[in-house]
Amino acid sequence: MLCDNGCQFSIKHIYCHGHGPKLKDVWHKWTIDVTGFNILQWSRDVLSGAHTNLLFFNADESRREFKQFQKSFSKSSRSFFSSERKWTNIFLALNILVYIAQVATDGKLLFWGAKINSLINKGQLWRLITSSFLHANIGHLLVNCYSLNSVGPGVEKISGPRRYVVLYLTSAIASSAMSYWLSKAPAVGASGAILGLVGSFAVFVLRHRGMVKGTEGDLRYIANVIVLNMAIGLLNKGIDNWGHLGGLIGGAAASWLLGPAWKIQSISSEGRRVFADTAPIFSIIRTKRDKS
């Protein structure tokens, strides 16, 4: 999600989370009036240059630090660390298929699903999630797919598939929501959701820093990724740091609530440590059950 400095009555640009090759016009010469905004076209100058504001880390590297941690798990605990990356592949495929649909509809799908505040005000709340699956051009799509492919598998492995889906979608919605509240510009892009995965991984590392060696380096690297992304956003007029910040906070908050949050529950007769997931969500569920 990228922010516009001077978009007042004529929407000439729709912004995304990164920079890439120039965008060809996605609209035919037709006019759509939307509560004071006259949408003539979304300019071919949306993305200029060849830089991206989404810097990423490879969570696969950090996963190596958790090998000893994983080996000590009981069978029930170890199921959360499946090596499959099914949902990362699904999200990658969705982003690609949606972009193909954008091209096939001459950009009409882009207009239908982008984060446009005036239309969200009219009740089109689906834009808070659909905007995260839309991209301004092929360069923008490739950057976000590359970043998701780098970050996603590691987070999916430590979170498990169900939690991973919730983390991704929550981050996407939080990103769009904060952009909606604090930025008037229309926006699309998956980088808010991806930064949410970075925030989720940071929470995981912080929670388990006493169990695994080398997490200080992971935390420093994650902090650098976040600081650099926000700094680049401040230096570029078109970047919506509010969307990035919303995704980061949303992913971190969801991870804190949902876990995993492993703690040693007992030690078996063979000396194997048995872990229990103590994420706050389980305490909330138990409290509600006790009251009922």
Side-chain angles (χ1 to χ4, degrees), residues 7-79:
C7 185
Q8 297 178 356
F9 296 100
S10 176
I11 298 181
K12 295 182 178 179
H13 302 82
I14 183 165
Y15 292 105
C16 53
H17 286 290
H19 289 292
K22 287 186 177 181
L23 173 65
K24 293 182 178 180
D25 292 337
V26 295
W27 295 110
H28 292 299
K29 294 180 180 179
W30 54 302
T31 300
I32 302 176
D33 292 316
V34 184
T35 61
F37 289 97
N38 183 19
I39 302 178
L40 299 176
Q41 63 180 16
W42 285 341
S43 170
R44 68 184 62 196
D45 298 320
V46 173
L47 302 176
S48 59
H51 303 288
T52 175
N53 65 301
L54 180 59
L55 304 177
F56 57 90
F57 70 99
N58 191 333
D60 287 333
E61 294 296 325
S62 296
R63 288 207 314 258
R64 294 174 186 172
E65 301 293 339
F66 292 94
K67 282 185 177 179
Q68 291 301 118
F69 181 47
Q70 295 175 30
K71 287 178 182 178
S72 66
F73 277 24
S74 65
K75 290 183 179 179
S76 61
S77 300
R78 202 178 296 122
S79 65

Side-chain angles (χ1 to χ4, degrees), residues 27 81 137 158 166 181 185 211 214 218 233 282:
W27 295 110
F81 288 86
N137 69 1
I158 62 178
V166 175
W181 289 325
M211 297 181 181
D218 288 331
F282 299 123

Side-chain angles (χ1 to χ4, degrees), residues 55-60 62 147 150-151 155 197-198 201 221-222 225:
L55 304 177
F56 57 90
F57 70 99
N58 191 333
D60 287 333
S62 296
S147 300
S150 175
V151 176
V155 178
L197 298 182
V198 175
F201 189 78
Y221 189 42
I222 292 168
V225 169

Side-chain angles (χ1 to χ4, degrees), residues 149-252:
N149 188 61
S150 175
V151 176
V155 178
E156 183 172 359
K157 185 172 183 180
I158 62 178
S159 299
R162 288 180 293 182
R163 272 189 278 212
Y164 179 74
V165 172
V166 175
L167 287 171
Y168 188 91
L169 297 179
T170 299
S171 300
I173 294 171
S175 173
S176 297
M178 183 165 283
S179 179
Y180 165 72
W181 289 325
L182 299 171
S183 173
K184 295 180 180 180
V188 294
S191 59
I194 297 169
L195 278 169
L197 298 182
V198 175
S200 170
F201 189 78
V203 169
F204 182 86
V205 172
L206 282 168
R207 267 182 167 151
H208 303 96
R209 62 187 182 278
M211 297 181 181
V212 186
K213 295 180 180 179
T215 55
E216 294 82 2
D218 288 331
L219 289 172
R220 283 195 296 270
Y221 189 42
I222 292 168
N224 288 338
V225 169
I226 294 170
V227 170
L228 283 172
N229 272 284
M230 302 309 290
I232 291 172
L234 291 173
L235 294 174
N236 286 272
K237 295 179 180 179
I239 295 176
D240 181 7
N241 263 340
W242 294 119
H244 287 169
L245 183 61
L248 184 69
I249 293 173

Side-chain angles (χ1 to χ4, degrees), residues 89-139:
N89 291 338
I90 289 173
F91 286 133
L92 286 169
L94 278 174
N95 283 315
I96 293 168
L97 291 173
V98 168
Y99 184 76
I100 292 172
Q102 286 178 224
V103 175
T105 60
D106 290 325
K108 294 178 183 178
L109 182 63
L110 188 63
F111 175 72
W112 175 84
K115 190 225 80 174
I116 301 176
N117 288 9
S118 59
L119 296 180
I120 294 174
N121 290 338
K122 288 187 172 184
Q124 297 183 13
L125 299 180
W126 67 79
R127 294 174 180 275
L128 295 176
I129 184 63
T130 55
S131 58
S132 293
F133 291 94
L134 296 164
H135 290 86
N137 69 1
I138 188 65

